[in-house]
Amino acid sequence: MAYTPHCDSVDSAGSVDSVPTALRTTAPRTTVLRTTPADPLALPLLEELSHEYLVRYGDSSDLTRYPAVEFAPPDGAFLLLLERGRPVAGGAYRRYDGVTAELKRIWTHSAHRRRGLAREVLRVLEAEAAGHGYTRIHLTTGPRQPEARGLYLATGYRPLFDVRADPESLGLLPFEKELPGEAEGDVPTP
């Protein structure tokens, strides 16, 4: 079965209004495109992420470690934030275990950083994961990505490592976060 991309509008407060892709004619706000890593719109972000990994770590093989199908419904998701039809940020999740989604590929284009776009990506991914029955998020980031580490700490992720230790001595930095249950009403339906 082929995957059909879907767009939502995200307002400045981070709430999501679902609009089928075929009905969206303008992009007055940031839109969320649910798609796949193979989407040509994803290519610029993935290329820049690959370059960033090469510069920071000398290797970008993590980007090809998981098959694209792992980031597709019903167990996963891959999304792009678009402004005026152009990708500015993105991210994905895949099944980690029966109740846990693993975030991957959280990325903001270098020309669009420091605008809160990564937080938007996290909000949408968390809501989607909760909507698909996940109760927990797991993720890892590299020791040479202090921006990512700061983002996850600032957005309620619990570090599973000693935050006082030299990140280089730790290797990958794992985090987790419990997702609010649907009964609590804290998770917007994307």
Side-chain angles (χ1 to χ4, degrees):
M1 179 168 104
Y3 180 74
T4 304
H6 177 82
C7 271
D8 289 332
S9 173
V10 179
D11 66 19
S12 60
S15 58
V16 180
D17 300 319
S18 187
V19 178
T21 305
L23 299 179
R24 178 160 290 288
T25 57
T26 62
R29 304 184 253 183
T30 302
T31 55
V32 177
L33 176 66
R34 287 162 187 82
T35 188
T36 70
D39 188 320
L41 280 174
L43 189 59
L45 288 176
L46 293 173
E47 285 177 346
E48 191 176 36
L49 180 56
S50 176
H51 175 74
E52 188 82 14
Y53 283 177
L54 282 170
V55 168
R56 292 187 190 210
Y57 301 105
D59 181 24
S60 66
S61 63
D62 184 64
L63 290 175
T64 58
R65 181 166 298 156
Y66 306 102
V69 70
E70 290 191 27
F71 301 111
D75 293 333
F78 184 91
L79 64 87
L80 297 172
L81 283 187
L82 306 177
E83 279 186 354
R84 293 182 285 289
R86 294 191 168 175
V88 293
Y93 73 80
R94 60 187 280 278
R95 179 173 294 280
Y96 186 74
D97 64 32
V99 298
T100 309
E102 179 181 25
L103 296 186
K104 303 296 285 180
R105 318 285 185 265
I106 307 300
W107 188 249
T108 302
H109 187 282
S110 60
H112 298 278
R113 292 185 181 155
R114 312 235 8 110
R115 296 178 42 211
L117 297 171
R119 285 178 186 255
E120 277 189 45
V121 169
L122 286 177
R123 278 193 298 269
V124 174
L125 288 173
E126 289 170 2
E128 294 235 346
H132 283 96
Y134 292 109
T135 60
R136 184 174 165 268
I137 297 280
H138 172 81
L139 66 88
T140 59
T141 192
R144 297 179 188 160
Q145 294 172 265
E147 313 89 337
R149 177 185 170 177
L151 171 68
Y152 302 131
L153 289 170
T155 54
Y157 283 81
R158 184 170 68 90
L160 302 176
F161 59 92
D162 181 354
V163 295
R164 297 166 301 192
D166 173 21
E168 287 288 330
S169 71
L170 300 173
L172 290 178
L173 308 177
F175 290 85
E176 70 178 5
K177 184 177 187 179
E178 298 299 317
L179 293 174
E182 289 183 39
E184 295 176 35
D186 292 341
V187 178
T189 303

